[in-house]
Amino acid sequence: MPAIVIVGAQWGDEGKGKIVDIYTERADMVVRFGGGPNAGHTLVVGDDKLVVRLVPSGILRAETTCVLAQGMVIDPRSLVTELDELERRGIKLAGRLLVSDRAHVIFPYHVLIDGLREKGKDAIGTTKRGVGPCYEDKVARRGIPLGAFRDTNRLRELVGRAIDDWAPIVHHLGAGEVQVPTVDEVLAAIEPTRARIVPMLVDSQALVERTVRAGKKVVLEGAQGTLLDVDHGTYPFVTSSTPTAGGACVGAGIGPTRIDEVVGLVKAYTTRVGGGPFPTELHDHIGERIRKVGAEFGSVTGRPRRTGWLDLPALRYAVRVNGLDALAITKLDVLTGLDEVKVCVAYDTKHGRTEDLPMDELDSATPVYQSFGGWTEELGSARAMTDLPKAARTYLEFVEKQAECPFILVSTGPRRDETIVLRDPFPL
Ligand code: IMP
């Protein structure tokens, strides 16, 4: 099983950090294939914690090569901050962290525009990291790949052109009061990062494809989640990339025939950050409790996450869109102590009841719930399904059957050992 793709099956924040870390233990390479500094996960280095947004957690394993592939958008200043933080903690990066020279650069003007838009009436609650405007430039064919960092004259020319294009929009959004940064200002902000980044640049497509073809173990790590996908998510309340499994092929540059397994991550409940429909959202003390116990606050922005019950029509949708082979269910322990656990099994819509996700009617559809008894026992010490309390097992068995996808792993706490591994995607 050399190449596995790991994707979020909900609106992101499904606990990818921990699961990717478990799967990375025996991986030769971890590849991030899309998104940018809008993702965030916490790395634990000794007694110390740091939040990284671009570098995969595999960086903590000395034998693992980490790749930021060309489907990503990279803010060079965020990247260098992460490199500094990692090096300060004694983590060796040379030759282990490689960056695609075709990944696109997030410049200060992208961050400025993202922030200005979020002040307006069309705000969708982005992370304000410049991700959307950078992907816009890429698709508009005026984006700047990191490879341009090798040639300062070319970089100056491309930045000049991009600023000319964005200037009227900045004037409009800023009501004439916000200054458009000059080429010199943008280049001055970027210059200190160039010497650090240029030696890391590679043709990541060739590297990843060669590694997969050699039969090495490769983890393609998704960011965000299925329902934030620009094509398959709750548009327009989505990110600007393709966090679904197909995005792994496009973003890393390998064909679908090279992927051996696609694993989806799903929380035992649902969360969402930012605006957009969320039919199973809880606005009561149970939602508040899940937020508190599950520490549901954005790791990039610190925003409180919206919380709600698990949505099976949405999960089945994710299983289909990604072609999931298996599901890893996380944060089951967060539900411990609730008297009752509910799960959405269908929707009532203007056109009747449906077990599918009514994507066009999410604002008006009413979730139909099935209720399960809660449990109070601590779950973290369970190492097999049979160690779990009966009520938790009943809930999981129902979800697995309804999701139409087998579980590969159940996570019962933040620690690595608080995990029930049902199958190893990298068997020896
Ligand atoms: P953007 O990706 O910053 O443009 O934000 C677009 C939408 O995606 C917003 O609703 C964000 O809250 C959401 N989003 C982006 N990245 C993540 C993530 O890593 N986890 C959860 N939500 C995210």
Side-chain angles (χ1 to χ4, degrees):
M1 283 287 175
I4 65 168
V5 175
I6 299 180
V7 291
Q10 296 164 306
W11 276 290
D13 309 313
E14 296 91 353
K16 285 179 219 79
K18 172 178 160 174
I19 308 305
V20 170
D21 184 50
I22 289 175
Y23 289 162
T24 305
E25 186 165 20
R26 286 196 278 114
D28 300 294
M29 181 179 274
V30 184
V31 183
R32 260 201 68 186
F33 58 78
N38 46 354
H41 47 261
T42 306
L43 300 186
V44 181
V45 188
D47 294 334
D48 203 8
K49 280 188 182 171
L50 79 148
V51 174
V52 287
R53 299 179 174 130
L54 293 161
V55 178
S57 49
I59 203 70
L60 298 183
R61 303 195 184 281
E63 305 303 315
T64 308
T65 304
C66 293
V67 180
L68 306 185
Q70 68 228 56
M72 289 190 70
V73 288
I74 294 176
D75 185 329
R77 293 174 302 171
S78 303
L79 180 57
V80 167
T81 305
E82 286 181 27
L83 302 182
D84 288 344
E85 293 276 310
L86 289 162
E87 280 178 345
R88 208 153 52 76
R89 288 161 172 90
I91 291 157
K92 303 241 177 325
L93 302 171
R96 293 189 48 229
L97 179 64
L98 303 164
V99 183
S100 167
D101 56 9
R102 282 182 276 168
H104 279 244
V105 183
I106 299 179
F107 285 97
Y109 48 85
H110 293 130
V111 180
L112 173 70
I113 287 152
D114 203 355
L116 286 173
R117 284 202 184 125
E118 283 299 306
K119 286 189 184 148
K121 64 175 177 22
D122 295 327
I124 66 154
T126 74
T127 59
K128 298 193 222 168
R129 305 284 152 175
V131 169
C134 183
Y135 276 118
E136 277 173 66
D137 268 354
K138 173 176 162 174
V139 177
R141 293 168 293 195
R142 58 168 183 237
I144 305 179
L146 269 169
F149 274 28
R150 295 186 180 117
D151 177 345
T152 44
N153 290 333
R154 174 116 184 94
L155 187 60
R156 173 172 287 277
E157 186 192 325
L158 292 171
V159 168
R161 272 199 242 157
I163 288 177
D164 287 347
D165 275 341
W166 283 113
I169 296 173
V170 173
H171 281 303
H172 171 71
L173 292 171
E177 285 171 16
V178 177
Q179 291 298 313
V180 184
T182 65
V183 177
D184 282 334
E185 282 165 352
V186 170
L187 292 180
I190 293 306
E191 184 53 27
T193 68
R194 265 193 341 107
R196 295 288 297 285
I197 292 177
V198 168
M200 295 180 160
L201 296 182
V202 290
D203 176 347
S204 69
Q205 185 282 324
L207 173 70
V208 174
E209 199 276 334
R210 219 183 305 124
T211 309
V212 171
R213 198 155 25 93
K216 298 264 169 63
K217 297 179 175 116
V218 177
V219 174
L220 296 142
E221 174 185 344
Q224 290 86 45
T226 301
L227 295 167
L228 288 172
D229 186 287
V230 69
D231 286 290
H232 303 290
T234 47
Y235 193 88
F237 298 94
V238 292
T239 192
S240 302
S241 64
T242 305
T244 44
C249 294
V250 177
I254 57 172
T257 51
R258 299 279 180 248
I259 307 289
D260 295 277
E261 175 145 21
V262 183
V263 178
L265 301 195
V266 58
K267 267 196 280 223
Y269 50 94
T270 308
T271 62
R272 166 160 216 175
V273 213
F278 180 1
T280 65
E281 183 168 10
L282 288 162
H283 297 283
D284 58 5
H285 68 283
I286 300 176
E288 191 53 52
R289 184 180 193 280
I290 290 175
R291 181 160 36 251
K292 206 165 147 216
V293 177
E296 297 294 356
F297 295 88
S299 46
V300 172
T301 59
R303 289 180 289 179
R305 295 181 185 140
R306 300 157 65 191
T307 53
W309 296 121
L310 184 62
D311 182 335
L312 286 174
L315 183 55
R316 281 191 290 266
Y317 176 74
V319 169
R320 291 178 200 138
V321 168
N322 294 290
L324 296 183
D325 294 302
L327 278 169
I329 186 157
T330 61
K331 295 191 127 175
L332 183 65
D333 53 301
V334 174
L335 300 180
T336 300
L338 295 178
D339 295 334
E340 177 190 39
V341 176
K342 287 193 191 175
V343 52
C344 166
V345 291
Y347 279 99
D348 279 333
T349 74
K350 289 195 279 287
H351 312 287
R353 187 162 288 191
T354 175
E355 291 186 354
D356 289 332
L357 186 67
M359 201 51 123
D360 272 350
E361 298 176 78
L362 281 182
D363 284 328
S364 58
T366 311
V368 179
Y369 289 107
Q370 183 151 335
S371 182
F372 292 82
W375 58 89
T376 51
E377 296 88 335
E378 174 279 336
L379 307 184
S381 53
R383 296 292 171 268
M385 291 298 248
T386 45
D387 297 337
L388 290 173
K390 175 109 189 16
R393 241 170 31 228
T394 305
Y395 179 65
L396 288 182
E397 280 160 13
F398 181 79
V399 172
E400 184 177 38
K401 184 151 181 280
Q402 292 287 316
E404 297 162 8
C405 188
F407 286 159
I408 189 170
L409 180 153
V410 179
S411 173
T412 55
R415 287 205 327 261
R416 264 182 80 109
D417 59 331
E418 291 172 321
T419 310
I420 301 171
V421 178
L422 299 165
R423 180 168 65 76
D424 185 343
F426 287 137
L428 286 170

